[in-house]
Amino acid sequence: MTKQQANWSPYDNNGGSCVAIAGADYCVIAADTRMSTGYNILTREYSKICKLADKCVMASSGFQADVKALQKQLAARHLIYQHQHNKQMNCPAMAQLLSNTLYYKRFFPYYSFNVLGGLDNEGKGCVFTYDAVGSYEKVGYSSQGSGSTLIMPFLDNQLKSPSPLLLPVQDAVTPLVEAEAVNLVKTVFASASERDIYTGDKLEIVVVTADGIRREYMELRKD
Amino acid sequence: MSNSVIEVPPKGGFSFDLCKRNELLAKKGVNPPSFRKTGTTIVGLIFQDGVILGADTRATEGPIVCDKNCEKIHYMAPNIYCCGAGTAADTEAVTDMVSSQLQLHRYHTGRESRVVTALTLLKRHLFNYQGYVSAALVLGGVDVSGPHLHTIYPHGSTDTLPFATMGSGSLAAMAVFESKYKEGLTRNEGIELVTEAICSGIFNDLGSGSNVDVCVITKGGKEYLRNHLQPNPRTYTSSKGYSFPKKTEVLLTKIIPLKEKVEIIGGGDAMEE
């Protein structure tokens, strides 16, 4: 008597890739704009990037319906925080909130693979990377989504976060200048689009600095 | 009356002995390796003077592109070509095999090969393997009885059509054909229509991509236009380029000299008789 398997799944994967890189005084967050299901394209112009607070931006790939619901939850909780504390949430605080929100649904998860990027209280860039149930870590750079297996090794090679095994503990922030980091992100997505069928169409790049948030677009392969 | 089992030599074809074991393993979570499929758009149409075949050039292994510029239009005979979708190994093997069989047949008969010959050889083979040879083909050519275009499905069924599409991008391509196909197309109109259909597959189907290959077959001969259209160049190359450090980070160095187990006696001939 074999166990009966489900004949319907509540989840779907809409594909796509996201990347975030932290710098000394900036943070670059980028994601492609293709939304797909199976072998079909649903739309070529869907933004996976969401501004959660003044200096805090999140990019999420996975099941976009769950991502939308998650963004709404975070926005609502942020509004309550603003009413109670009379200030915006800073990036590390938002990071903890996201982790708790994800773990709250530990037994029916948000199918959402997130990277959170922004500036911390001192104005230094910070990037937090998550799994679907809220395990997170502060890192110097990260990628998630269908192209992450293609992108991450290249970022490891170029940005080379010092090994966490070495002492004294070294800073994870990259020494690259903002323009170099944006260049790296463009290269990485152009390469991922060549080999990953779910990544392509257009690239949306968001740069968070002390002056504010800047948005940039680049064309990617459409096939 | 002996109790021993008479050993019968295997008759060829597949042996399904391991199926039960595979099922048990799959239940335990050990899955067989995935095949490389071409996740493709292939098309064919009949025009005024003959047949035009078209194909995209992307080969996929699941969600990853493993070949950005592969050849899906296979040679069968000087006047017959075949596009293949499905498992890449299967389409390659089956078209090579039938191509060789056709050549031997040409030597035997002293005549040009006919498309129906290739069709029958392919469908017999595929039916024999009950759909396990996962090859979906669009076969086209021109012989003494005129231009012919056929589709062949993995289970062995065939259709004879004026225009046809196969592969994961077949719906996208067929939408173009159904809107714009008409009888008596000229050579250039035909090539343009085929290119448009393949492009529809390339841009709207994630399993198809990269370039367009076209093959025009007429009574006079054939024209294989490899990479007839290349609508997907790389979008960004960094002007500065990237440097790659040659060595890996050294975390620890420890040298353990090997102890000799054998005593070497100097002198003496190597191989004494």
Side-chain angles (χ1 to χ4, degrees):
Chain A
M1 184 68 189
T2 44
K3 192 171 173 189
Q4 195 194 23
Q5 300 282 19
N7 49 13
W8 173 83
S9 169
Y11 296 115
D12 187 17
N13 192 343
N14 299 121
S17 317
C18 334
V19 163
I21 303 177
D25 60 348
Y26 67 89
C27 188
V28 177
I29 301 101
D32 70 323
T33 62
R34 172 178 283 176
M35 186 161 150
S36 51
T37 169
Y39 272 138
N40 303 310
I41 298 179
L42 291 170
T43 177
R44 297 192 194 270
E45 287 173 63
Y46 188 82
S47 175
K48 296 187 187 60
I49 302 180
C50 175
K51 184 180 123 172
L52 296 175
D54 255 353
K55 296 275 185 297
C56 189
V57 173
M58 177 175 82
S60 317
S61 80
F63 182 34
Q64 291 302 323
D66 272 356
V67 167
K68 206 36 126 204
L70 179 63
Q71 286 170 353
K72 273 179 110 175
Q73 261 287 48
L74 293 171
R77 294 290 284 106
H78 184 222
L79 190 59
I80 295 169
Y81 181 96
Q82 285 179 299
H83 288 149
Q84 289 174 344
H85 297 85
N86 197 22
K87 66 171 180 172
Q88 294 248 342
M89 267 174 107
N90 61 18
C91 206
M94 187 57 86
Q96 185 67 60
L97 176 63
L98 175 54
S99 170
N100 292 341
T101 312
L102 290 170
Y103 197 78
Y104 198 70
K105 290 213 345 130
R106 171 64 180 83
F107 298 110
F108 184 13
Y110 289 106
Y111 195 96
S112 162
F113 299 99
N114 315 293
V115 286
L116 192 74
L119 301 176
D120 62 16
N121 280 331
E122 296 149 26
K124 257 192 352 193
C126 60
V127 167
F128 298 89
T129 185
Y130 294 78
D131 72 355
V133 284
S135 161
Y136 80 115
E137 189 190 357
K138 179 166 187 287
V139 287
Y141 59 90
S142 176
S143 75
Q144 291 282 356
S146 58
S148 70
T149 46
L150 298 165
I151 296 171
M152 204 58 174
F154 187 68
L155 292 181
D156 283 336
N157 180 278
Q158 293 296 311
L159 299 175
K160 197 160 192 161
S161 238
S163 171
L165 301 170
L166 291 173
L167 292 170
V169 174
Q170 283 167 37
D171 205 10
V173 168
T174 176
L176 287 182
V177 160
E178 187 190 307
E180 289 175 321
V182 172
N183 190 36
L184 180 61
V185 161
K186 288 181 180 175
T187 306
V188 132
F189 268 91
S191 305
S193 309
E194 298 271 319
R195 291 287 176 178
D196 178 30
I197 60 177
Y198 297 117
T199 303
D201 289 332
K202 227 165 37 173
L203 171 63
E204 186 183 1
I205 308 172
V206 167
V207 185
V208 183
T209 51
D211 305 325
I213 296 184
R214 193 186 91 229
R215 216 168 278 257
E216 203 184 312
Y217 292 94
M218 186 186 88
E219 295 295 319
L220 294 173
R221 276 175 76 127
K222 305 203 178 318
D223 64 352
Chain B
M1 277 286 274
S2 67
N3 288 332
S4 63
V5 178
I6 302 166
E7 285 295 321
V8 180
K11 279 189 277 198
F14 288 121
S15 153
F16 292 96
D17 296 338
L18 290 171
C19 285
K20 206 170 181 188
R21 165 243 190 209
N22 289 342
E23 249 177 69
L24 278 169
L25 279 174
K27 253 185 236 150
K28 290 207 185 126
V30 180
N31 287 315
S34 65
F35 307 125
R36 188 229 248 186
K37 308 192 102 214
T38 48
T40 295
T41 309
I42 47 173
V43 304
L45 60 69
I46 297 194
F47 74 111
Q48 223 171 50
D49 313 317
V51 173
I52 306 180
L53 299 174
D56 74 305
T57 62
R58 173 184 280 182
T60 53
E61 237 159 22
I64 303 293
V65 177
C66 56
D67 192 344
K68 291 189 274 187
N69 205 190
C70 71
E71 281 184 40
K72 299 185 190 179
I73 306 185
H74 308 283
Y75 167 88
M76 298 288 266
N79 58 326
I80 308 173
Y81 273 76
C82 186
C83 306
T87 307
D90 286 338
T91 57
E92 200 64 50
V94 92
T95 48
D96 275 355
M97 186 192 78
V98 170
S99 169
S100 304
Q101 287 179 337
L102 284 175
Q103 190 168 46
L104 288 169
H105 194 247
R106 276 201 296 283
Y107 288 138
H108 198 75
T109 59
R111 292 186 170 87
E112 190 189 56
S113 296
R114 300 191 188 203
V115 183
V116 285
T117 316
L119 180 72
T120 309
L121 289 168
L122 285 164
K123 71 147 76 178
R124 290 264 166 87
H125 181 85
L126 292 175
F127 180 78
N128 202 16
Y129 285 89
Q130 287 295 293
Y132 283 97
V133 176
S134 177
L137 311 165
V138 170
L139 177 73
V142 180
D143 56 27
V144 288
S145 33
H148 298 274
L149 179 68
H150 304 280
T151 50
I152 311 167
Y153 290 83
H155 285 266
S157 63
T158 58
D159 289 310
T160 308
L161 299 161
F163 57 93
T165 65
M166 293 286 253
S168 58
S170 62
L171 271 69
M174 189 49 99
V176 172
F177 273 177
E178 286 289 10
S179 314
K180 300 189 177 178
Y181 180 82
K182 57 184 204 288
E183 281 184 33
L185 287 164
T186 65
R187 193 198 119 95
N188 286 337
E189 285 176 335
I191 292 179
E192 212 185 295
L193 185 57
V194 160
T195 308
E196 214 182 315
I198 297 288
C199 279
S200 173
I202 284 174
F203 291 111
N204 299 111
D205 175 42
L206 296 175
S208 314
S210 295
N211 315 124
V212 181
D213 282 354
V214 175
C215 186
V216 185
I217 310 170
T218 56
K219 204 164 65 160
K222 57 119 190 322
E223 218 184 307
Y224 185 46
L225 304 167
R226 168 80 171 143
N227 287 2
H228 173 68
L229 195 69
Q230 292 179 305
N232 289 299
R234 190 187 162 89
T235 46
Y236 183 81
T237 331
S238 164
S239 46
K240 275 181 296 173
Y242 290 94
S243 64
F244 298 95
K246 281 202 169 73
K247 58 183 176 79
T248 10
E249 209 177 299
V250 177
L251 288 175
L252 174 68
T253 311
K254 190 175 177 185
I255 302 171
I256 307 167
L258 295 172
K259 261 209 234 139
E260 286 161 8
K261 284 196 168 157
V262 176
E263 212 183 285
I264 302 165
I265 315 164
D269 287 326
M271 297 275 217
E272 286 178 33
E273 277 168 285

